[in-house]
Amino acid sequence: MVKAAKSQFVCQNCGAVAARWAGKCVACGEWNTLIEEAGVAAAPGSGLARASKGRAVALETLTKSTDRIARIPTGLAELDRVTGGGIVPGSALLIGGEPGIGKSTLLLQLGAAFADAGRRAIYFSGEEAAAQVRLRAERLGLSAAPLALACETNLANILATLAEGKRPDLVVVDSIQTLWADGLEAAPGTVSQVRAATQSLIRYAKAQGAALVLVGHVTKDGQIAGPKVIEHMVDTVLYFEGDRGHQFRILRAVKNRFGPTDEIGVFEMSDRGLREVQNPSRLFISSRETDAPGSAILAGMEGTRPVLTEVQALVSPSPLGTPRRAVVGFDSNRLAMILAVLEARAGLRIGAHDVYLNVAGGLKVREPAADLAAAAALVSSLHGAPLPAEAVLFGEIALSGAVRPVGQSEQRLKEAAKLGLTSAVIAGNGGELTAPRRLWLKRVETVSDLVAWVAGLPRQERTGVKPLLRPVTEG
Ligand code: TYD
Ligand code: MG
């Protein structure tokens, strides 16, 4: 009797295999992630007993002079910045991001740039038909680029195509979730399929020295859909951030075996594709309303680059028993902490207010240096006093209420001066700083200093909103 391939239950989040279905994965604790996948029939007698005798490998020293990593500049300066100077041949890069954020657009531009530079680039599209890709290329003005295009989702066909002709320098697969391997019965997009496809493609790329770029979808909460596992398999993971309502797109490295992980690349989605933004600061603060309370400019750092962004806050009395706290582009725990410190150390009464905090432009601010700008925006909104239009702020707030200095202060100040700002509010005990001469420095030691400073600013007349409906009167 032939034994059927045993089915197994694979967690779509962490890849753990279970023999029985369960509501919760015992390995990672996620709910409803176990999916039945027909397993590969286990080879009889598999296990260590059958393992072949090993071969000793040559051991090397760390000091051995190795060639520096050869990188191929992509032709897109912002992408080069994020990857650490270009794409490394023989490496695998994963680009994640929400649908419609611009992954396919970026990769089409990348492929075309490679092809235009005389390199062989192949673009496998598993999601769109050739006509759709062509239409996009036309829109981007890239139709003439000698980029090889194929619409294929079968892994074996892709590998066979790659084996033919000249060795490609760049292979783009859009997206890894659409691929399927013959040998597996699981549906495309499941962990086993994605893992198998990624493994084969990476093996090909490493053996041939081709750069592999994979597109990965992300789930609602921003993780590469299902397979966290492929993040471990590739060399570089980039995430596309920003919301579709804005034209800014931020490419962030979250893992990079060949370069830094904290750099961002800033793009603008235009009618002719993604355009690089050389000076993001100018862009992020250009549309700021300077006379409204609750707006502060943060001098932040993204990797090695200072970036000025606007932090907006709205604090208003809440009609609800449990006031709302909402953030966009900011950490909600961090906001809760700042509010608690303002209440406990500066005596502000915010407990019964709704609080909204928004980082304009779609940037996600993560560094603690943003605390002071967020606090200033909150206090400014609460008091109804606009902050000076030409001031930047940065500094970390401690639970004690102290404002602490942060790294790279001089670079932040220099960027502020470069953009024509005239003052900076910074931590009180930051030691000597060589600030640009045009910049006036205001030092705050504690959140109470900050509150006192904002309280001294002229308040804006509250513009009353006229009621649309006349009140109903008796008689
Ligand atoms: P796309 O690259 O298809 O996103 P993804 O592959 O991440 O799903 O981007 C599609 C969006 O970008 C779509 O909403 C239209 C917009 N877009 C432009 O605004 N200008 C352009 O030149 C192109 C090609 C797309
Ligand atoms: Mg796409």
Side-chain angles (χ1 to χ4, degrees):
M1 208 175 89
V2 184
K3 215 171 146 209
K6 228 166 98 196
S7 76
Q8 52 187 13
F9 295 87
V10 181
C11 171
Q12 301 300 302
N13 185 52
C14 69
V17 180
R20 252 175 287 283
W21 188 85
K24 185 179 178 183
C25 170
V26 287
C28 67
E30 284 290 311
W31 288 91
N32 286 328
T33 53
L34 290 188
I35 284 188
E36 182 172 10
E37 293 183 9
V40 197
S46 63
L48 275 178
R50 266 184 77 248
S52 61
K53 202 153 176 256
R55 171 181 61 86
V57 296
L59 302 173
E60 297 182 23
T61 65
L62 286 174
T63 51
K64 192 172 165 184
S65 67
T66 41
D67 302 333
R68 293 199 48 206
I69 305 165
R71 294 171 191 275
I72 308 176
T74 58
L76 300 160
E78 292 293 297
L79 186 57
D80 284 349
R81 173 195 292 278
V82 182
T83 50
I87 290 194
V88 180
S91 77
L93 189 153
L94 176 70
I95 291 195
E98 283 173 30
I101 198 91
K103 302 181 293 296
S104 305
T105 307
L106 179 71
L107 295 184
L108 193 61
Q109 288 178 263
L110 172 67
F114 258 65
D116 275 333
R119 298 199 166 84
R120 181 146 195 257
I122 308 182
Y123 188 109
F124 290 100
S125 174
E127 300 192 335
E128 288 161 287
Q132 279 174 295
V133 180
R134 254 182 241 123
L135 204 67
R136 176 180 293 133
E138 206 172 301
R139 187 125 82 93
L140 301 175
L142 299 173
S143 299
L147 173 71
L149 170 70
C151 295
E152 184 55 64
T153 53
N154 183 331
L155 181 66
N157 292 354
I158 289 180
L159 290 172
T161 313
L162 289 175
E164 244 178 32
K166 198 173 143 244
R167 179 188 70 82
D169 298 292
L170 176 76
V171 178
V172 176
V173 177
D174 185 2
S175 68
I176 189 71
Q177 272 96 358
T178 55
L179 297 196
W180 56 281
D182 281 330
L184 294 173
E185 264 179 45
T190 52
V191 169
S192 356
Q193 285 286 7
V194 169
R195 190 159 41 188
T198 310
Q199 233 153 27
S200 312
L201 288 168
I202 290 180
R203 204 174 312 129
Y204 169 84
K206 296 251 185 276
Q208 299 296 319
L212 175 68
V213 181
L214 306 171
V215 171
H217 289 286
V218 299
T219 54
K220 274 202 298 310
D221 47 352
Q223 308 241 301
I224 301 266
K228 208 57 187 152
V229 280
I230 51 175
E231 288 196 15
H232 299 293
M233 295 161 68
V234 297
D235 300 304
T236 306
V237 180
L238 306 181
Y239 270 100
F240 238 134
E241 290 174 0
D243 57 275
R244 270 177 292 165
H246 284 290
Q247 71 268 45
F248 314 124
R249 300 285 188 272
I250 290 136
L251 197 59
R252 193 186 287 276
V254 291
K255 165 180 176 180
N256 196 350
R257 287 185 182 149
F258 305 110
T261 52
D262 48 2
E263 291 289 349
I264 61 164
V266 184
F267 296 89
E268 188 183 1
M269 182 61 95
S270 70
D271 53 346
R272 306 207 67 215
L274 289 161
R275 212 176 302 144
E276 301 165 61
V277 175
Q278 251 114 32
N279 191 339
S281 298
R282 178 153 293 142
L283 227 142
F284 286 135
I285 62 170
S286 61
S287 52
R288 178 169 175 253
E289 281 171 62
T290 48
D291 56 350
S295 158
I297 302 180
L298 159 72
M301 290 296 296
E302 292 292 347
T304 54
R305 174 162 60 173
V307 175
L308 303 192
T309 26
E310 182 192 355
V311 180
Q312 303 167 343
L314 178 64
V315 181
S316 68
S318 177
L320 307 169
T322 318
R324 289 207 59 173
R325 269 58 265 233
V327 288
V328 178
F330 201 81
D331 182 18
S332 53
N333 290 328
R334 203 91 208 160
L335 171 66
M337 191 205 83
I338 294 170
L339 290 174
V341 173
L342 286 174
E343 287 227 4
R345 309 290 180 202
L348 292 192
R349 306 251 64 94
I350 323 178
H353 287 71
D354 285 334
V355 175
Y356 302 91
L357 196 70
N358 175 34
V359 178
L363 192 72
K364 287 199 178 94
V365 173
R366 290 186 174 86
E367 50 167 358
D371 292 355
L372 191 62
L378 292 166
V379 178
S380 157
S381 173
L382 187 69
H383 278 293
L387 298 173
E390 264 91 46
V392 289
L393 301 100
F394 57 88
E396 180 177 351
I397 293 178
L399 287 179
S400 64
V403 179
R404 297 212 179 125
V406 292
Q408 290 137 310
S409 297
E410 290 173 3
Q411 250 180 298
R412 298 172 199 258
L413 294 173
K414 224 194 267 166
E415 176 80 357
K418 203 172 93 192
L419 284 151
L421 302 180
T422 53
S423 56
V425 182
I426 59 173
N429 50 358
E432 272 310 298
L433 273 180
T434 46
R437 217 178 312 135
R438 293 209 316 272
L439 218 54
W440 177 75
L441 294 188
K442 158 93 189 147
R443 304 252 189 180
V444 287
E445 303 218 340
T446 61
V447 283
S448 307
D449 290 354
L450 176 76
V451 171
W453 173 64
V454 177
L457 296 171
R459 282 171 72 142
Q460 190 201 43
E461 289 295 307
R462 280 191 197 271
T463 48
V465 181
K466 290 203 188 87
L468 285 174
L469 296 173
R470 233 173 305 140
V472 182
T473 45
E474 297 282 309

